[in-house]
Amino acid sequence: MSRRTHKKSKKGCIECKNQHIRCDELRPICSHCSSADLHCSFDEGARNITPARNGFNQKSSKSATSSKNDVSRDFTANLIHLELLSHFCTTVSKDLVTDDSNNIPPLNMLMTHALSTPYLMHKILALSALHLSIVREEQTTHYHLYANGLQTQALSLFKATGLLLLDRFTNYLQIHRGVRAVMHKSFHLLINSEVKDILNMSRTINMEAKVSRCECASLMTLLSSRAADVDMDAWEAVDYQRAVSQLQWTFDLEWNVRTPEAARQLLSAWVIIVPPEYITLLLERRAEALVILAYYAVLLDRQRGSWIVGDGPRGLIQAVCYFLGD
């Protein structure tokens, strides 16, 4: 079947060109941008330009056009991105509180790195758009479109691949392990750097577990029985036991912390300390490793009221069920 073609719009708005759709060229705002509630702007440098008839004039025309286009790109503000950045700084960043005093990780430090790291800036804008898609129900579709687009671009810039949720989470575990390895070697420098307050708060929370509970007791019993039934290698059984013990420690910490903000910070505790051997077993889709991950999803689900967590735990459990079957 031949592909239906349409007449290209050479004078369409910048937004339609970026999305590769036909623009009706209505001004000051085209129909597409009006219906989608998008910022509509036109590249004035592309208007009323006629091709030159000789090489000299053609070169001059290209130079003039390029100059005009460069000016248009440099001085045309993307108001949507500015709105997302402002919302992140004034609202979303408050969800990153790490202790009782409502201290927020220094925005100046975050912005300094984001302005020089494109994938980080795209991720910040994506988080802001996702939050707005939740709190502004009348514009959910609009902001969700930007959240998805900016997230995709962030992943592309980070050279990420289109992995399934379980694969992405496993990759997330590996990244944390790599960060921990780097931090371990440079901790004496980091503790005296601009992130020292964050590190000190994390170390304080790590000492707060006083009551031990038994959320993972049945899991530990199941693993012991499983090891005997399937003649599991001793090293593999030990790796599972370590992962479960550290998961129980995280459950205990979450039970003992005094504020929801501190509990939210603990979401990454197990991710940081989990044995690297367990991550390897998870990559191999071992049944035992997947069940342990489902227990971690239960811990995550305790913070489902936070938009940062949302339906993530359910997605993880569904992924585990997919691999294990009914």
Side-chain angles (χ1 to χ4, degrees), residues 177-233:
R177 294 296 306 183
V179 170
R180 186 185 180 191
V182 173
M183 287 183 61
H184 179 72
K185 295 179 179 179
S186 307
F187 191 80
H188 64 288
L189 299 175
L190 293 172
I191 199 63
N192 295 310
S193 70
E194 57 189 347
V195 299
K196 61 182 180 181
D197 292 337
I198 300 174
L199 295 177
N200 284 328
M201 284 185 290
S202 298
R203 290 199 299 179
T204 300
I205 290 178
N206 286 345
M207 301 302 294
E208 290 184 358
K210 298 178 181 179
V211 177
S212 180
R213 295 172 59 82
C214 54
E215 287 88 349
C216 299
S218 60
L219 177 57
M220 190 69 81
T221 301
L222 178 63
L223 286 172
S224 298
S225 175
R226 173 79 172 173
D229 292 341
V230 300
D231 194 23
M232 185 184 298
D233 289 337

Side-chain angles (χ1 to χ4, degrees), residues 161-326:
T161 55
L163 302 174
L164 295 172
L165 175 61
L166 194 54
D167 292 322
R168 289 179 177 177
F169 185 80
T170 306
N171 187 51
Y172 168 65
L173 290 176
Q174 292 175 305
I175 291 174
H176 263 285
R177 294 296 306 183
V179 170
R180 186 185 180 191
V182 173
M183 287 183 61
H184 179 72
K185 295 179 179 179
S186 307
F187 191 80
H188 64 288
L189 299 175
L190 293 172
I191 199 63
N192 295 310
S193 70
E194 57 189 347
V195 299
K196 61 182 180 181
D197 292 337
I198 300 174
L199 295 177
N200 284 328
M201 284 185 290
S202 298
R203 290 199 299 179
T204 300
I205 290 178
N206 286 345
M207 301 302 294
E208 290 184 358
K210 298 178 181 179
V211 177
S212 180
R213 295 172 59 82
C214 54
E215 287 88 349
C216 299
S218 60
L219 177 57
M220 190 69 81
T221 301
L222 178 63
L223 286 172
S224 298
S225 175
R226 173 79 172 173
D229 292 341
V230 300
D231 194 23
M232 185 184 298
D233 289 337
W235 64 266
E236 184 176 346
V238 170
D239 291 335
Y240 291 139
Q241 291 170 0
R242 286 177 58 201
V244 174
S245 295
Q246 291 165 342
L247 182 57
Q248 181 60 63
W249 176 78
T250 311
F251 269 104
D252 294 341
L253 282 179
E254 192 269 346
W255 179 263
N256 283 275
V257 293
R258 295 166 298 186
T259 66
E261 292 79 12
R264 188 161 59 243
Q265 186 189 6
L266 289 173
L267 295 179
S268 61
W270 182 70
V271 171
I272 295 173
I273 64 175
V274 68
E277 295 83 2
Y278 168 78
I279 300 176
T280 300
L281 294 168
L282 189 60
L283 282 168
E284 295 174 358
R285 301 292 183 263
R286 300 291 184 92
E288 297 82 3
L290 291 169
V291 172
I292 293 172
L293 180 62
Y295 269 71
Y296 175 66
V298 173
L299 177 62
L300 282 179
D301 191 61
R302 293 185 177 182
Q303 297 296 322
R304 63 183 176 275
S306 168
W307 70 273
I308 298 175
V309 177
D311 292 333
R314 182 174 64 178
L316 277 178
I317 292 177
Q318 289 175 341
V320 169
C321 291
Y322 171 81
F323 280 98
L324 293 180
D326 297 331

Side-chain angles (χ1 to χ4, degrees), residues 115-135:
L115 290 172
S116 60
T117 312
Y119 75 80
L120 177 58
M121 179 59 78
H122 279 78
K123 182 61 180 178
I124 286 173
L125 297 180
L127 282 172
S128 182
L130 178 61
H131 185 256
L132 286 171
S133 73
I134 296 172
V135 300

Side-chain angles (χ1 to χ4, degrees), residues 9-250:
S9 171
K10 296 182 179 180
K11 300 179 182 179
C13 75
I14 295 174
E15 189 68 31
C16 287
K17 287 182 178 180
N18 288 339
Q19 298 186 27
H20 303 288
I21 62 176
R22 186 178 182 184
C23 180
D24 59 13
E25 302 178 18
L26 291 178
R27 296 177 183 244
I29 179 170
C30 72
S31 299
H32 169 69
C33 291
S34 176
S35 61
D37 194 20
L38 301 176
H39 172 65
C40 188
S41 61
F42 290 84
D43 187 350
E44 300 298 333
R47 300 181 66 187
N48 301 324
I49 298 177
T50 57
R53 296 186 178 180
N54 58 64
F56 177 81
N57 288 336
Q58 185 176 7
K59 182 177 180 180
S60 300
S61 176
K62 283 185 177 180
S63 177
T65 302
S66 176
S67 176
K68 290 181 179 180
N69 287 339
D70 288 343
V71 170
S72 177
R73 284 194 294 267
D74 288 345
F75 293 96
T76 300
N78 189 320
L79 298 182
I80 294 178
H81 290 170
L82 291 176
E83 175 194 18
L84 295 177
L85 184 59
S86 174
H87 182 68
F88 177 86
C89 293
T90 59
T91 304
V92 177
S93 61
K94 294 179 180 179
D95 284 332
L96 304 178
V97 172
T98 56
D99 71 343
D100 298 345
S101 62
N102 286 333
N103 287 329
I104 299 174
L107 281 175
N108 288 340
M109 178 188 69
L110 184 60
M111 288 298 107
T112 297
H113 293 293
L115 290 172
S116 60
T117 312
Y119 75 80
L120 177 58
M121 179 59 78
H122 279 78
K123 182 61 180 178
I124 286 173
L125 297 180
L127 282 172
S128 182
L130 178 61
H131 185 256
L132 286 171
S133 73
I134 296 172
V135 300
R136 297 185 185 178
E137 296 183 358
E138 71 282 1
Q139 293 180 288
T140 294
T141 302
H142 167 64
Y143 287 113
H144 207 268
L145 173 67
Y146 273 89
N148 286 336
L150 289 164
Q151 170 73 357
T152 299
Q153 183 66 7
L155 291 173
S156 176
L157 291 170
F158 193 64
K159 299 184 182 300
T161 55
L163 302 174
L164 295 172
L165 175 61
L166 194 54
D167 292 322
R168 289 179 177 177
F169 185 80
T170 306
N171 187 51
Y172 168 65
L173 290 176
Q174 292 175 305
I175 291 174
H176 263 285
R177 294 296 306 183
V179 170
R180 186 185 180 191
V182 173
M183 287 183 61
H184 179 72
K185 295 179 179 179
S186 307
F187 191 80
H188 64 288
L189 299 175
L190 293 172
I191 199 63
N192 295 310
S193 70
E194 57 189 347
V195 299
K196 61 182 180 181
D197 292 337
I198 300 174
L199 295 177
N200 284 328
M201 284 185 290
S202 298
R203 290 199 299 179
T204 300
I205 290 178
N206 286 345
M207 301 302 294
E208 290 184 358
K210 298 178 181 179
V211 177
S212 180
R213 295 172 59 82
C214 54
E215 287 88 349
C216 299
S218 60
L219 177 57
M220 190 69 81
T221 301
L222 178 63
L223 286 172
S224 298
S225 175
R226 173 79 172 173
D229 292 341
V230 300
D231 194 23
M232 185 184 298
D233 289 337
W235 64 266
E236 184 176 346
V238 170
D239 291 335
Y240 291 139
Q241 291 170 0
R242 286 177 58 201
V244 174
S245 295
Q246 291 165 342
L247 182 57
Q248 181 60 63
W249 176 78
T250 311

